Amino acid sequence: MINEQIVQSRCFSDSELLEILNSDFNSLQEQADFVRKSVYGNEIFIRGLIEFSNFCKNDCLYCGLRASNKELERYRLTKEEILNCCENGYKAGCRTFVLQSGEDLSYTDDEICKMIAEIKSKYPDCALTLSMGEKTYKTYKRYFNAGADRYLLRHETSSSAHYKKLHPSSMSIENRKRCLFDLKDIGFQVGSGFMVGSPYQTNEHIVEDVRFLQKLNPAMIGIGPFISHHNTPFANFKSGSVEKTLVLISLLRVMFPFALIPATTALCSLDEQGDIKGFQAGANVIMPNISPLFARKKYTLYDLCDNKICEADKLEKRIVRLSKKVESVGYKIVVSRGDVRNAR
């Protein structure tokens, strides 16, 4: 077991990180829960996720939205459909909207900026998060000036060699990192993260990921287990471990006390209690999908997505059900933007 003093100091050597990754570290989970409650209490923040397009120019080997997947029925939500999602989400208690898509080249910067401005005008008490992939500094700056508050861009793996095994040659970890630091420089609350158990990943790769996050110091850290998709080159690879994901959530909470850490959809897809286990491990964000049902069925990043995100119930009923589930273990969903809290 890792020395308790080291846990409390939040300083880990590489060998100590590897020890954590190779163990069932229950005491770290207890420490993580204590740290999270010290900063955020028992509050769980909800983000309304709007998957507005499943078109993507990239051909990442693990993703069901990859350009080579010709079986996927593609879609784009209209502006009216997106605004309707925001309206429904607001009524259900969401005070952050997350606009997520593949890297869809059909949208101009002007169109995205107008959408951002309209959403912020209608819901000035809400935060707006974008998750649209790699862009230029100029484009990110325009999004920020239009009113976007946050940007999610998982680095997936910080190892250049590992990155090349997961992505086509047209993509590079160097450009992904450039994007993340550009976003921070502009003033976004930045979110990054990585897959747990992705093909060819080693514990040494995960240590590299943790070290990169220390350099970036993001406001949000999202991790989830890898889940394969049948129409990708990684179709036959096994899924990542729920247990290892939970250990890493605890580790990241201890190392990044003020970070916003979600219990991700992938975690909930592999374990019906994944959200609750995530909160108990130190997570404090949940992202209910507020996209239209037809879109949720077509935004297939991986094969098990239907397990959790394609519920046909109305959004408000889903939020009420989630609230009761969260309250049953001592947490509470709050109506709040849920901004990151910084050290005093």
Side-chain angles (χ1 to χ4, degrees), residues 15 32 38 43 63 70 91 96 98 110 170 174 183 295 332:
S15 62
S38 297
E43 295 183 342
C63 183
K70 304 305 181 183
K91 290 177 180 178
T96 289
V98 181
D110 285 344
S170 58
E174 290 76 22
L183 289 161
K332 65 176 180 179

Side-chain angles (χ1 to χ4, degrees), residues 163-175:
Y163 194 92
K164 290 176 181 178
K165 291 185 176 181
L166 305 181
H167 300 88
S169 59
S170 58
M171 301 176 68
S172 72
I173 186 57
E174 290 76 22
N175 192 57

Side-chain angles (χ1 to χ4, degrees), residues 261-277:
I261 302 178
T264 59
T265 303
L267 183 63
C268 298
S269 291
L270 291 183
D271 188 323
E272 289 188 355
Q273 295 299 312
D275 46 6
I276 297 301
K277 291 179 180 179

